[in-house]
Amino acid sequence: MDVRHLSVFVTVAQEMSFTRAADRLLLAQSAVSTTVRELERELGVALFDRSHRQIRLTGAGEELLVRSRDVLERMRELGEAVATAGTELRGTVTVGLMTGVDLVDVPSLLGAFHARHPAVVLQLRATGLGSSGLVAQLERGEIDLALLAAVDGLPATLQGEVVASSPYTLVVPDTHPLATRDAVTLADLEGESFVDLPPGYGSRRIVDDAFAHAGVSRRVLIEVAEISTAAQYVPQGLGLALVPRFAVADSIAGARVVSAEDAVPPFDLSLAWARRRTLSAAAEALVQLIRDALLSDT
């Protein structure tokens, strides 16, 4: 058994697919399958249940996954500690992002980081489960940092800080009675239909919680994949949209934008990482750059 065996096994366990794991590792699927079978033969146990359409971890596989992550984490820390003893910062930093959330200019931040530390490899990951998915990826050690919406603060398993904020606005058809208002309250929206993100996304929970606390009912008629697209459905009469200001274009044909910042708490974007993991020197450097860029005026 060597580190390569464990790395391949962990990747297959994360993807629950030999094909996707091979694509991620840039290996032939046969090589991935062979590596896992070699590991199973050496340990004398089956690590995956292959009797279903989708593979599943066996009990032995679950135990090895936990221990393998610890081993690989320690190997990563060892390698990066040796690398940083030189004159140039090296390593890999994996950052989780929410799709459609451009409250922070990530390309510019990463460009500035790359200019300072060209030997560091930067990887970006997104999740289809919004902030809750990013929290899970941080807790499992699949990503180093994440920019996410932490409603009611970060969970106890994470640490970090708010780096940007955006007030909420209401997008309504220009024929709607509220289109002439400068601002709205949640009571004004009783019984209205809405376009929103699916449950699990930070913005959806912020709005749901606000309505629940106000004792106002609402119906989500359409769930969209990205927050930046919600306002586009409003002119078609498919519902209203309560979204952060950054997600709304300056002008929308057939719709008006009304302030809702006194009705819904702001959308806070947090930079977060897992408490149980020690950040690598490269990840620490990226955290510091983001702090310097986004919090220097606060």
Side-chain angles (χ1 to χ4, degrees), residues 100 102 169-174 194-196 222 224-244 246-257:
D102 58 359
T169 56
L170 176 72
V171 184
V172 299
D174 54 15
F194 287 85
V195 180
D196 210 329
I222 294 180
V224 297
E226 294 187 8
I227 193 171
S228 59
T229 66
Q232 299 172 17
Y233 293 83
V234 173
Q236 311 307 319
L238 296 171
L240 313 185
L242 260 174
V243 291
F246 74 83
V248 183
D250 291 336
S251 62
I252 306 171
R256 299 288 176 84
V257 178

Side-chain angles (χ1 to χ4, degrees), residues 159-181:
Q159 59 183 323
E161 56 215 84
V162 175
V163 294
S165 186
S166 179
Y168 270 79
T169 56
L170 176 72
V171 184
V172 299
D174 54 15
T175 57
H176 194 282
L178 294 176
T180 59
R181 300 275 294 274

Side-chain angles (χ1 to χ4, degrees), residues 193-212:
S193 295
F194 287 85
V195 180
D196 210 329
L197 292 166
Y201 285 77
S203 179
R204 171 68 182 267
R205 185 175 163 200
I206 290 171
V207 176
D208 282 347
D209 287 354
F211 273 88

